[in-house]
Amino acid sequence: MDYYNYLKSLHLIFVITWFAGLFYIVRLFVYQIEAADKPSPEKEILQTQFKIMSYRLWYIITWPSAVLASIFAFWMLLFTPTGNAWLQMPWMHVKLGFVFVLYLYHLKCHQIYKQLQKDEVNYSANFMRLWNEGATIILFAVVFLVVLKNAVNWIYGVIGIILFSVLIMLGFKFYKRIREKK
């Protein structure tokens, strides 16, 4: 059982770096989309630099972190007595549902990454700013589930997440107005 705490520590480290990568990659998407509207040669210089930064972040930090976080999670869940017990608990089922949604979010970010690497801009910078909050909402949900370990109260958590999302959108609209005035 001593190795369980090592597995848990490694899992947490890679979850943190995975989220850091997801938060930052979408910011890079915003910058890359905004660079597409710049005049030459600024446009080409910025786009080249953002493509390099995105590539390194995505393939050196974000993808490996996602894979390693999952490996250590599966190891804890499947090969330790505590993990086997947790798989029987309803809160863990809800948490794993959010992890599944996180992977869908990650895969959508991968699709956007590939499009931007080919200079295909299919989304606005404002959409990307809102998209960036998706990972934040998932992070809140998972952390509260893990700390509280209560799937019954997840309904309150979902209501809280929805209210949090509304606050984020209101904050975004307020920030957009400030930016437009400048």
Side-chain angles (χ1 to χ4, degrees):
M1 191 68 157
D2 283 341
Y3 68 95
Y4 176 80
N5 286 326
Y6 291 104
L7 294 174
K8 186 172 163 181
S9 296
L10 290 167
H11 172 65
L12 287 171
I13 288 166
F14 289 113
V15 166
I16 291 166
T17 57
W18 182 15
F19 271 98
L22 287 173
F23 291 143
Y24 191 47
I25 195 72
V26 180
R27 288 308 303 168
L28 288 175
F29 293 164
V30 170
Y31 303 147
Q32 209 169 342
I33 291 166
E34 288 176 344
D37 294 333
K38 302 278 185 193
S40 287
E42 185 180 11
K43 172 183 175 176
E44 291 78 18
I45 293 167
L46 288 172
Q47 284 183 323
T48 300
Q49 186 60 42
F50 290 136
K51 284 179 185 179
I52 292 167
M53 292 169 69
S54 295
Y55 176 85
R56 290 177 180 162
L57 174 66
W58 199 239
Y59 287 114
I60 297 173
I61 295 172
T62 312
W63 263 112
S65 295
V67 171
L68 290 168
S70 298
I71 287 170
F72 290 116
F74 288 130
W75 195 346
M76 283 190 305
L77 287 173
L78 300 176
F79 302 114
T80 65
T82 306
N84 288 322
W86 280 353
L87 282 174
Q88 306 306 315
M89 297 182 184
W91 70 267
M92 181 58 78
H93 300 156
V94 175
K95 178 199 171 206
L96 292 174
F98 278 111
V99 172
F100 177 74
V101 171
L102 180 63
Y103 263 104
L104 293 177
Y105 180 89
H106 183 104
L107 292 171
K108 182 62 179 176
C109 285
H110 187 78
Q111 180 186 36
I112 295 166
Y113 162 82
K114 303 251 313 163
Q115 290 169 349
L116 289 173
Q117 290 296 95
K118 294 186 270 185
D119 295 322
E120 295 173 17
V121 178
N122 297 325
Y123 301 96
S124 70
N126 285 334
F127 173 84
M128 282 297 128
R129 285 185 180 91
L130 284 175
W131 179 253
N132 200 27
E133 303 309 325
T136 304
I137 293 166
I138 295 168
L139 177 64
F140 267 69
V142 170
V143 167
F144 277 106
L145 274 166
V146 170
V147 171
L148 298 175
K149 291 180 177 48
N150 189 335
V152 174
N153 285 335
W154 77 274
I155 295 170
Y156 297 118
V158 168
I159 292 168
I161 290 167
I162 291 168
L163 291 174
F164 178 70
S165 301
V166 168
L167 286 174
I168 287 173
M169 288 184 197
L170 290 173
F172 175 75
K173 287 184 182 247
F174 178 71
Y175 176 71
K176 184 178 175 184
R177 281 194 191 137
I178 291 171
R179 285 186 50 175
E180 288 173 351
K181 286 181 183 178
K182 291 182 180 181

